Amino acid sequence: MTKLSVNVNKIATLRNARGGNTPNVLQVALDCERFGAQGITVHPRPDERHIRYADVRELKQVLSTEFNIEGNPIPSFVDLVLEVMPAQVTLVPDAPDALTSDAGWEVGTHFQFLKETVARFEASGIRTSIFVGTDLDNISRAAEVGCRRVELYTEPYASAFQRGEVERVVDLFAQASQHAASCGLEVNAGHDLNLENLNYFVRRVQPLAEVSIGHALISDALYLGLEETIRRYRHELILS
């Protein structure tokens, strides 16, 4: 079954808005695990406007599920990941001032850089994933750089689902997942997945190892509570 990794960046955003340590990022992450999350994701940015590098170090000491660190592999990020040694690192080509991730890698353009970066992480035993779109040639190139997974950028799917124009778009993701598998890659997915669009995506896009969900899940938790929200997301990941 597809695993759920909860991105706790929004908890850190709320904490940082007031200062202090409320809400407590570590405690929320541990509660997510206790309530059924099968992984925790963070995306530290250079300005530390939400997750701080110190949070990443502290989370590694207490988590028992898979820890996934996302980010643009600038030198400080690479050093942090190699220090912390998470289960997975996801390479995302976001600019330092990006509000949120908005595109995958053009792998051919950055091929040598990605190959060298992936090699450093994989040599340390860290599973490496590359954030990509649905272009099949681009996914083939991702396999060539030596990563073990790709993460499909799902905002185009979420937007099409909301417009009621999802069939053509979801087929692109299904083809991308199958092609990635044929290249020897496992497949993750994330960005704008939520309780309304998640189950349809999971049923149509296979194989799918993991989804990473933050903004929607934390927003739902304001109404439903964290435990019930994670229960519902886990339920949506069951194929039907």
Side-chain angles (χ1 to χ4, degrees), residues 124-212:
S124 295
I126 302 169
R127 184 175 69 233
T128 307
S129 177
I130 294 179
F131 200 55
V132 297
T134 56
D135 182 83
L136 302 187
D137 289 339
N138 197 49
I139 291 171
S140 295
R141 295 291 277 165
E144 292 170 10
V145 305
C147 61
R148 280 185 269 171
R149 291 191 182 184
V150 289
E151 179 172 331
L152 299 177
Y153 170 56
T154 51
E155 190 278 335
Y157 162 79
S159 294
F161 189 95
Q162 191 171 31
R163 295 192 307 268
E165 303 170 354
V166 72
E167 279 299 318
R168 182 185 65 82
V169 177
V170 79
D171 281 345
L172 295 176
F173 282 90
Q175 293 166 20
S177 178
Q178 292 161 15
H179 181 71
S182 74
C183 294
L185 297 168
E186 293 184 298
V187 180
N188 297 338
H191 209 286
D192 289 345
L193 296 174
N194 58 40
L195 285 174
E196 285 69 44
N197 62 34
L198 180 58
N199 184 261
Y200 183 74
F201 185 85
V202 172
R203 285 188 286 115
R204 292 292 300 272
V205 181
Q206 288 292 329
L208 187 61
E210 172 188 291
V211 293
S212 174

Side-chain angles (χ1 to χ4, degrees), residues 30-63:
L30 290 172
D31 287 339
C32 288
E33 289 186 325
R34 183 162 58 90
F35 297 148
Q38 295 144 304
I40 298 295
T41 292
V42 294
H43 189 145
R45 288 184 165 86
D47 61 7
E48 298 192 319
R49 64 180 182 268
H50 32 61
I51 286 291
R52 300 166 181 156
Y53 280 28
D55 295 325
V56 178
R57 296 183 177 99
E58 292 172 3
L59 282 163
K60 180 57 166 64
Q61 300 303 313
V62 299
L63 295 178

